[in-house]
Amino acid sequence: MTRSAPTTLGELRAAGYRSRSVRDELRDNLVGRIEAGETLFPGIHGYEDSVVPQIANAILARHDFILLGLRGQAKSRILRQLVELLDERIPVIAGSEVNDDPLAPISKYGREAVSEFGDATPVEWLERDRRFLEKLATPDVTIADIIGDLDPIKAARGGHLLSDELTIHYGMLPRANRGIFAVNELPDLSPRIQVGLFNVLEEGDVQIKGYPVRLPLDLLIAFTANPEDYTARGKIVTPLKDRIAAEVRTHYPREIRTAMAITSQEAWVARNGRRVRIPDFVLEVVERIAWTARLDKRVDQTSGVSQRMPIAVLETVVSSAERRAIRHGEEEAVPRIGDVYGALPAITGKLELEYEGELQGAARIANELVVAAAGTTFGEYETRIAGEGGDPDYGAIVGYFESGGVIQVSEDATAAACVEGFRRVPGLLDMTEQLELVTGESGDGARAAACELVLEGLASNRKISRTRGGAYGAANP
């Protein structure tokens, strides 16, 4: 029979409960996870040897910390996963706005409750999810939002003087007591709010409307920011910067396979029972769009190219293939390179452009990114085959176009119709198998997609040409 949790202070003491600070709690639970060989941040890829060890060190050192990184580098997701390092639940004095520890209350409400009721003081249990508070920093955030304010209505109803602590309406920071308080985009807080965090970080003192209140808050405070803003020349107040013990730099995936794993994990590709099969090379083309954009001088690199771009692109690519499969009654939706070109709207909205890029236009740059991504992916398959002793010969394929042959690939054509059309190009289908883009057991959908990649690769290498409408022909002179 399961023993019920204590509901009063006396029962809690009889059960042998001992208080721990939230930093010790996080530290102890982290040690337990490390000893058990558990993954510290499930679903976070590419940070195993960089970001995760640094965060672990900060928690083991009982430090507040900040994650510095560009858009789409999983900063907020990491902060939200910190809650898993908290105990499943902790006891608090019932009705306390600041999660008073029954054994050591910090608010006047909590102290008076223990003084009045003694061991009969009611206790309730706070789940770990309710111990994480997150605030997006914006210029309009006020001291009242973060620290608190005096509440005249509470004073009138309770018959208290405004100087009485019981008249305070607590802000988010005191309400996060005995938990984790996260501030996203810290430099966007106005300087006076940043100043208001000084003593909270260092001594636990807060001032509300000039009235000093001693609140030794038990908190871990974690922040996020863009590195460009987190400088003395940016929007951060230097004394606050000095009080944040650890700076952890996040980054975009350093390996293409890691990036593909993230996108595949996050993208919604399961569609209402219809089978969706995404060739590996299509996944790679989608990922290399963002990869290429992060190196393009026309794209604002201080803003970054979020990992959300390839996720949105992949979802759009799958939707294009799904729409085609629905129209033609195909049981399986297989995305092709043409579907990637159809996903340009998912690219243009994710690009912050420099002046040169603005002159050229987002649509043109997005189209060029797709061309470059397809060409690079094709080159990777060529390199791998060459490393295995293969020597792809495109003479017959190129000769077909040089002799006047043209192939028009329609985004709406069925896979079977595409494969039948590609058969007219000598050696094209054989080349997809030679490059190991498909196997003998692959269906028409995968074969059509593989043929498109070969043609895209040849067009990228200027051995043939491609029009914006998807027609392939002889290379332009």
Side-chain angles (χ1 to χ4, degrees):
M1 183 175 180
T2 303
R3 187 176 177 180
S4 60
T7 58
T8 66
L9 176 56
E11 292 177 3
L12 193 66
R13 284 174 170 154
Y17 175 78
R18 295 290 181 271
S19 300
R20 280 187 303 175
S21 71
V22 69
R23 294 167 191 263
D24 285 334
E25 181 184 336
L26 289 163
R27 174 187 161 83
D28 293 345
N29 291 334
L30 175 62
V31 169
R33 282 202 172 194
I34 294 174
E35 289 177 338
E38 298 179 13
T39 301
L40 299 185
F41 295 98
I44 304 295
H45 301 282
Y47 287 168
E48 295 83 1
D49 300 320
S50 55
V51 175
V52 171
Q54 293 179 29
I55 295 175
N57 290 344
I59 293 173
L60 291 173
R62 305 170 77 247
H63 285 166
D64 297 313
F65 64 90
I66 184 166
L67 298 178
L68 298 179
L70 302 178
R71 296 182 301 166
Q73 292 185 353
K75 301 187 297 296
S76 296
R77 182 166 183 167
I78 289 173
L79 294 188
R80 290 165 189 164
Q81 286 197 17
L82 290 174
V83 73
E84 298 301 321
L85 294 175
L86 295 170
D87 291 343
E88 289 188 12
R89 57 181 186 164
I90 59 170
V92 299
I93 294 176
S96 171
E97 295 180 88
V98 296
N99 304 326
D100 273 304
D101 183 346
L103 301 182
I106 64 171
S107 72
K108 186 173 182 179
Y109 170 88
R111 294 191 301 270
E112 289 188 350
V114 172
S115 176
E116 180 178 354
F117 299 108
D119 282 349
T121 302
V123 168
E124 58 187 13
W125 292 82
L126 192 67
E127 303 294 331
R128 60 159 62 120
D129 289 344
R130 294 172 58 196
R131 298 173 62 196
F132 178 85
L133 271 72
E134 183 177 12
K135 181 64 177 176
L136 175 61
T138 55
D140 62 340
V141 173
T142 66
I143 284 287
D145 296 329
I146 301 297
I147 306 297
D149 202 352
L150 299 179
D151 188 344
I153 296 178
K154 184 184 288 189
R157 287 177 176 174
H160 306 297
L161 297 174
L162 282 177
S163 60
D164 194 320
E165 188 180 327
L166 292 175
T167 66
I168 296 174
H169 175 78
Y170 291 106
M172 293 185 69
L173 200 60
R175 291 175 184 272
N177 183 45
R178 303 179 70 202
I180 300 168
F181 185 61
V183 180
N184 278 311
E185 307 301 337
L186 173 62
D188 287 342
L189 280 181
S190 68
R192 66 189 185 90
I193 307 299
Q194 294 183 36
V195 171
L197 294 175
F198 285 1
N199 282 3
V200 175
L201 283 168
E202 199 68 26
E203 290 91 12
D205 292 329
V206 297
Q207 283 196 4
I208 298 176
K209 288 287 179 66
Y211 173 66
V213 180
R214 178 65 177 169
L215 281 180
L217 298 175
D218 178 20
L219 284 168
L220 177 81
I221 306 182
F223 307 92
T224 71
N226 186 308
E228 286 291 308
D229 298 329
Y230 193 71
T231 66
R233 299 180 305 279
K235 306 174 186 176
I236 190 72
V237 176
T238 303
L240 176 59
K241 187 175 187 289
D242 182 58
R243 284 166 168 79
I244 300 174
E247 295 179 9
V248 179
R249 296 267 178 165
T250 60
H251 54 80
Y252 289 122
R254 292 170 176 165
E255 302 291 338
I256 191 69
R257 291 291 161 182
T258 302
M260 290 168 63
I262 295 172
T263 299
S264 297
Q265 171 184 281
E266 300 299 323
W268 177 60
V269 297
R271 303 299 176 92
N272 300 328
R274 187 178 298 275
R275 291 198 308 272
V276 176
R277 183 153 60 102
I278 309 172
D280 195 60
F281 54 84
V282 172
L283 285 172
E284 185 169 341
V285 170
V286 168
E287 200 60 52
R288 286 195 181 278
I289 295 172
W291 204 269
T292 305
R294 290 173 189 145
L295 300 174
D296 196 311
K297 294 181 179 179
R298 298 169 297 179
V299 177
D300 182 2
Q301 301 304 324
T302 62
S303 177
V305 179
S306 170
Q307 192 63 29
R308 298 182 187 93
M309 175 197 279
I311 294 170
V313 171
L314 182 59
E315 291 173 342
T316 307
V317 165
V318 169
S319 294
S320 178
E322 178 189 28
R323 178 169 50 85
R324 180 173 57 247
I326 293 171
R327 180 182 294 114
H328 297 292
E330 295 176 317
E331 294 183 357
E332 185 176 66
V334 182
R336 308 195 292 253
I337 303 303
D339 297 316
V340 181
Y341 279 101
L344 293 185
I347 302 173
T348 55
K350 297 288 193 295
L351 294 178
E352 296 287 340
L353 301 178
E354 297 283 9
Y355 179 69
E356 180 185 353
E358 294 285 359
L359 292 178
Q360 295 182 17
R364 174 181 169 181
I365 292 174
N367 189 82
E368 291 177 3
L369 290 174
V370 175
V371 172
T376 303
T377 301
F378 174 74
E380 289 293 321
Y381 278 85
E382 276 190 311
T383 301
R384 188 177 68 187
I385 294 304
E388 297 173 357
D391 184 20
D393 182 4
Y394 307 106
I397 301 174
V398 175
Y400 170 80
F401 293 106
E402 288 180 342
S403 63
V406 175
I407 287 287
Q408 175 69 50
V409 180
S410 172
E411 180 186 329
D412 292 329
T414 65
C418 285
V419 170
E420 193 60 33
F422 290 140
R423 289 188 192 280
R424 302 203 310 266
V425 183
L428 180 55
L429 286 167
D430 292 337
M431 184 56 63
T432 62
E433 295 200 14
Q434 186 179 346
L435 292 174
E436 298 182 0
L437 294 166
V438 296
T439 63
E441 293 77 30
S442 297
D444 284 343
R447 288 193 180 90
C451 287
E452 284 194 29
L453 180 65
V454 172
L455 295 177
E456 282 292 323
L458 294 177
S460 177
N461 292 329
R462 302 180 186 277
K463 294 181 179 179
I464 63 175
S465 65
R466 182 192 190 279
T467 68
R468 293 230 172 167
Y472 297 92
N476 295 321

